[in-house]
Amino acid sequence: MKQLLTLCAFAALPAFASEDIADQYPASELYSKPVEVIPHVWSAIGATAPPTYENAGHNNNLSFIVTGDGVVVVNGGASYALAKALNEEIKNVTSQPVKLVFNENGQGHAMLGNSYWAEQGVDIVAHVDAAAAFEESGHQSLRAAIATTKERADKTEVISPSITFEDAYIVEMGEMKIEARYLGPAHSPGDIVVWLPEQELVISGDMAFHERMLPIFEDTMTADWIETWETVFEPMGATYVIPGHGHPTNMDQVRRYTHDYLVYLRDKIGAHLDDGGTLADAYYVDQTPYTGLDTFEELATKNAGRVYEQMEFE
């Protein structure tokens, strides 16, 4: 029954969120028009591509929950304009006002839109580590956004979250119980998931990727990410997953493109190290099972190099 519900819920979603499609929703600053994933939970799916002028930096998922007593937004967005465009779409769905915004992590595409939401007087919530990361790198993220999206970044400022937490921030609003949870190390400092236990839906943020290759940053500890996935994230038992990037799906699919990719790459690099392989050669370990993913060309070699540097001293 759950499998049938999943198929029905996602059957009406757009066919692509591709790095080959510059903009799926030209009438809006958003890359795509929000879709209702399950009743009362909506998401504007970002491009599965690096940020560009054409996609206005909207390359992650911007979601919102209509609770019956206000709206909760998940992700501030990559700019003032994107956050404003999302709110315009929210107003087309409901007359309920936005009462709370969660930032899924400290990256620019999660927090730079805080400048709009703060102007609306909305509380903005993030993990303490995400807030610290944004405090350290937010101005660099803004400079990068301006360089890429030019005037589309107008009015965007570095605004930190107004509320921070360490383990969990739980909200009961209207007909919804919404749990923002820090599960452990994952893609970047302060990654959180937003869990709707009654709906069995998780807005995973960058804990989980779909349809595009994940990037491994210098501070992405891949072994820790795998452990968090196996011991905390997947045991939550989500039926529906809105990933940080890519279309809403189920746990089987995000496991395939996130957990299984990390395990695969670590196995390849581990064998390369056992054979006395060098960093220069590590960039070219076999990743052909994942060549069909968007951003493969941009990220595969970088990911291999960073995993080599990690595992060399494990």
Side-chain angles (χ1 to χ4, degrees):
M1 181 64 176
K2 286 184 179 179
Q3 290 177 337
L4 177 61
L5 287 172
T6 302
L7 290 172
C8 293
F10 302 134
L13 295 180
F16 302 103
S18 172
E19 63 181 346
D20 298 322
I21 302 173
D23 185 5
Q24 291 188 164
Y25 191 22
S28 170
E29 198 75 3
L30 295 169
Y31 176 78
S32 67
K33 187 176 179 65
V35 293
E36 191 170 24
V37 179
I38 65 171
H40 314 301
V41 181
W42 296 70
S43 194
I45 311 304
T48 51
T52 64
Y53 179 83
E54 290 74 19
N55 64 37
H58 181 198
N59 72 332
N60 63 330
N61 296 338
L62 306 178
S63 303
F64 61 92
I65 305 161
V66 182
T67 71
D69 187 33
V71 175
V72 175
V73 170
V74 183
N75 267 337
S79 70
Y80 180 103
L82 279 173
K84 181 179 180 182
L86 183 67
N87 201 22
E88 289 169 354
E89 296 293 331
I90 292 170
K91 291 175 181 177
N92 289 333
V93 170
T94 179
S95 60
Q96 298 170 40
V98 174
K99 290 189 174 181
L100 195 66
V101 172
F102 286 107
N103 294 154
E104 70 181 15
N105 54 43
Q107 297 176 54
H109 61 30
M111 285 202 186
L112 286 173
N114 288 353
S115 48
Y116 171 80
W117 296 113
E119 188 179 273
Q120 312 312 304
V122 178
D123 281 331
I124 303 165
V125 182
H127 189 265
V128 290
D129 292 344
F134 189 65
E135 187 75 23
E136 180 179 340
S137 62
H139 290 283
Q140 180 180 344
S141 295
L142 178 56
R143 287 193 296 272
I146 292 170
T148 300
T149 61
K150 302 179 174 60
E151 80 282 354
R152 304 184 90 164
D154 287 353
K155 299 182 74 172
T156 304
E157 300 176 9
V158 175
I159 302 294
S160 295
S162 53
I163 300 171
T164 59
F165 69 94
E166 293 188 1
D167 297 318
Y169 189 93
I170 299 174
V171 177
E172 294 192 16
M173 186 182 297
E175 300 172 0
M176 296 283 192
K177 183 177 183 181
I178 302 167
E179 303 179 0
R181 296 193 173 276
Y182 175 71
L183 305 182
H187 181 246
S188 62
D191 277 326
I192 63 169
V193 304
V194 176
W195 171 233
L196 279 60
E198 294 177 6
Q199 290 75 21
E200 297 182 357
L201 179 143
V202 64
I203 303 173
S204 73
D206 283 355
M207 175 68 69
F209 285 67
H210 183 220
E211 300 172 324
R212 60 152 289 181
M213 177 159 280
L214 61 86
I216 297 173
F217 299 147
E218 290 183 4
D219 56 4
T220 304
M221 296 296 104
T222 54
D224 294 342
W225 190 352
I226 292 168
E227 181 178 1
T228 299
W229 184 289
E230 294 177 348
T231 61
V232 190
F233 176 61
E234 188 153 351
M236 292 173 70
T239 298
Y240 311 103
V241 182
I242 301 178
H245 302 264
H247 276 93
T249 184
N250 54 49
M251 191 62 71
D252 287 344
Q253 289 301 307
V254 293
R255 182 193 311 115
R256 175 185 177 190
Y257 295 124
T258 310
H259 170 274
D260 292 358
Y261 171 68
L262 293 170
V263 171
Y264 174 90
L265 185 55
R266 285 179 58 86
D267 284 348
K268 287 293 182 182
I269 294 296
H272 181 69
L273 282 164
D274 289 344
D275 290 340
T278 66
L279 174 60
D281 292 329
Y283 290 110
Y284 305 104
V285 297
D286 178 28
Q287 297 189 56
T288 52
Y290 298 92
T291 54
L293 290 177
D294 286 346
T295 68
F296 178 89
E297 295 297 330
E298 294 91 344
L299 296 173
T301 56
K302 292 179 182 178
N303 287 353
R306 285 182 173 143
V307 170
Y308 179 96
E309 291 171 340
Q310 289 177 17
M311 295 187 69
E312 187 177 18
F313 298 106
E314 286 184 354

